[in-house]
Amino acid sequence: MSDRKEKLLADVAKYHADVNTSRPFVPGHTEIWPSGAVLDASDRTALVEAALDMRIAHGRSAREFESVFARRIGVRKALLTNSGSSANLLAITALTSPLLGKRRLRPGDEVVTVAAGFPTTVNPLVQNGLVPVFVDVDLETYNTTVERVTSAIGPRTRAIALAHTLGNPFPVSEIAALAVEHGLFLLEDNCDAVGSLYDGRPTGTFGDVATTSFYPAHHLTMGEGGCVLTSRPLLAKIVESLRDWGRDCWCAPGANNTCGKRFQQQKGTLPTGYDHKYVYSHVGFNLKATDIQAALGLSQLDKLDSFTAARRDNWARLRAALEGTPYLLLPSATPGSTPSWFGFALTLTADAPFSRWELIQFLEERKIGTRHLFAGNLTRHPAYRDVHYRVVGDLTNSDIITERSFWVGVYPGLNDEMIDYIAASIRSFAESGGRDGAR
């Protein structure tokens, strides 16, 4: 590194310290966000260094992140994308590839998923002509069960696609075994759960393919970004092709003849020797991330352990402080799991003398940010009015989530004072039976 560059980066670190002076928490005045990025001087300097080097495309930092992140999670391949939603699109689309032979998913095939979730777990099914089969969830874990998934498997079922809700793992080991038993693909949407464990094993390592997100709300951030994870070489090859325009070539950007046969192959009905860099084996996309994003991701990855510990501590502190609060159903970890929590979910009981809106309004007036549990019951949204899907069992709990659930934050940017203020505010409102008594 040149002396001039070192000085510039030192100035960037100093600038970060100058503009990020900590301010005391003032209850009712300081904003408490439900989620957000936690960024330090190393993150800012990583971004600036990548910019100084003009690493503006998918290159060295992206490939380094893919290698380091794959090892950290415990899979063979990680493929960086421009968002977690794109990662889900690539993962599902990969399962439709002709390279999978008879196992490929085809239009009309069914995929078991849950109704209560985020739309981009389900949207790639619709976009690929597949049929979502919706099942319900439990109200303590906000995940589905092995029994519900089993009951939904029919003659046209070819895959299972589930997310670990708010960082709380679904019973992924058992559902992975169920998928193997029935010859189904398993997509593990790990976007909310980086750092979570099930039976002591990282989530994101059980499925045929898994996804994660690096949006600012998530466990690590690149601003925007996501990743597809797999230990299956063929699926990795397909995902990379789909992500990179659908190309057949696997040269890294800037490389020209890695295979040594660039002008010596015959594909499709193309002339023999057609430039392999411009041969396409899939109808693909361009969903790559940039080196500037990856540089931030590498810096963030160094902090994953401390971020995960903070999420667990904040969740446990909030759970203990709210124990016994009337009219609220508190969340629980899935048995056998150690979640890296994304948020703290709350559901009002049926006999609550106040509405979700009234409690949320009370909290928001106190500068405590809240969020609904994503889409609630997806089947009730206008986007899915004309979508062909199947429902197995009832969606009672998904409807309850739509009408009575929300979540508050536990992300690493919150300290003990903030967590205690969140808990005290919720408890005072609930114990008073509503807004007027809590004032």
Side-chain angles (χ1 to χ4, degrees), residues 355-393:
S355 68
R356 176 179 60 186
W357 181 84
E358 289 172 319
L359 175 51
I360 284 176
Q361 185 182 45
F362 176 77
L363 296 176
E364 296 281 350
E365 286 175 355
R366 292 187 163 212
K367 305 297 184 182
I368 298 169
T370 66
R371 294 289 185 270
H372 285 187
L373 189 46
F374 309 131
N377 184 345
L378 281 164
T379 69
R380 296 174 63 174
H381 286 259
Y384 303 91
R385 184 180 296 118
D386 298 322
V387 167
H388 176 49
Y389 59 81
R390 189 161 66 88
V391 174
V392 175

Side-chain angles (χ1 to χ4, degrees), residues 95 100 103-105 158-160 179 183-187 208:
L95 301 181
L100 296 176
R103 287 205 70 196
R104 66 180 290 199
L105 303 187
R158 296 291 181 270
I160 302 166
L184 310 177
F185 288 113
L186 174 60
L187 165 65
D208 296 281

Side-chain angles (χ1 to χ4, degrees), residues 245-263:
W245 308 286
R247 65 180 186 155
D248 196 71
C249 173
W250 43 271
C251 285
N256 284 322
N257 196 14
T258 306
C259 68
K261 299 178 181 180
R262 179 178 171 188
F263 298 104

Side-chain angles (χ1 to χ4, degrees), residues 393-404:
D394 60 54
L395 298 178
T396 300
N397 291 338
S398 298
D399 285 332
I400 289 172
I401 288 168
T402 307
E403 295 159 8
R404 305 207 304 259

Side-chain angles (χ1 to χ4, degrees), residues 173-200:
S173 181
E174 293 85 350
I175 287 178
L178 183 68
V180 171
E181 178 187 347
H182 290 271
L184 310 177
F185 288 113
L186 174 60
L187 165 65
E188 199 181 339
D189 183 332
N190 203 45
C191 288
D192 289 352
V194 173
S196 293
L197 305 173
Y198 189 84
D199 287 343

